[in-house]
């Protein structure tokens, strides 16, 4: 049986607020479903869903999202303006560049190029 990626689900404390952050970052619309579930469905990308869980984030993500950005410093600055936290400096290696960032609930993601 073959499968396809339908959505990526983030556990979080405030699904609506986190969906609004990601919607602004991805130039999409946040949709609230019930009181414990929200999502963002950007064109040409998998849907990102946000589900309320009672426990706070306690460890580093085992999976993270990479977002392609032509101008990583500008994308990082916009994410920070929206409530994210940049971690460390912009890294350049043989594959290109990347910047590690935490969303407002501490979920790690990266802006990448190359």
């Amino acid at each position: 049986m073959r499968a396809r990626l339908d959505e990526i689900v983030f556990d979080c404390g405030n699904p609506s607020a986190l969906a609004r952050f990601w919607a602004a970052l991805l130039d999409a619309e946040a949709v609230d479903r019930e009181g414990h579930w929200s999502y963002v469905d950007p064109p040409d990308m998998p849907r990102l869903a946000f589900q309320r869980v009672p426990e706070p984030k306690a460890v580093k993500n085992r999976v993270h999202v990479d977002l392609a950005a032509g101008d990583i410093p500008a994308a990082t600055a916009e994410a920070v303006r929206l409530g994210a936290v940049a971690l460390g400096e912009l890294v350049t290696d043989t594959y290109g560049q990347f910047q590690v960032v935490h969303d407002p609930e501490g979920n790690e993601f990266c802006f990448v190029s190359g």
Side-chain angles (χ1 to χ4, degrees), residues 82-107:
L82 294 168
V85 175
L87 302 176
E89 300 294 321
L90 177 67
V91 175
T92 301
D93 62 18
T94 57
Y95 300 104
Q97 295 183 314
F98 67 92
Q99 173 68 57
V100 180
V101 184
H102 276 181
D103 74 13
E105 289 213 15
N107 298 301

Side-chain angles (χ1 to χ4, degrees), residues 34-59:
E34 306 166 17
H36 65 280
W37 191 264
S38 298
Y39 68 90
V40 175
D41 200 3
D44 302 322
M45 292 183 223
R47 180 174 46 241
L48 300 181
F50 308 92
Q51 178 179 353
R52 183 183 328 274
V53 296
E55 61 276 356
K57 183 176 185 296
V59 297

Side-chain angles (χ1 to χ4, degrees), residues 14-68:
N14 188 335
S16 184
L18 200 54
R20 286 192 306 275
F21 165 82
W22 282 92
L25 194 63
L26 299 174
D27 197 24
E29 185 176 329
V31 178
D32 293 326
R33 284 183 19 199
E34 306 166 17
H36 65 280
W37 191 264
S38 298
Y39 68 90
V40 175
D41 200 3
D44 302 322
M45 292 183 223
R47 180 174 46 241
L48 300 181
F50 308 92
Q51 178 179 353
R52 183 183 328 274
V53 296
E55 61 276 356
K57 183 176 185 296
V59 297
K60 183 182 183 316
N61 298 36
R62 297 292 300 258
V63 174
H64 70 265
V65 176
D66 283 351
L67 302 176

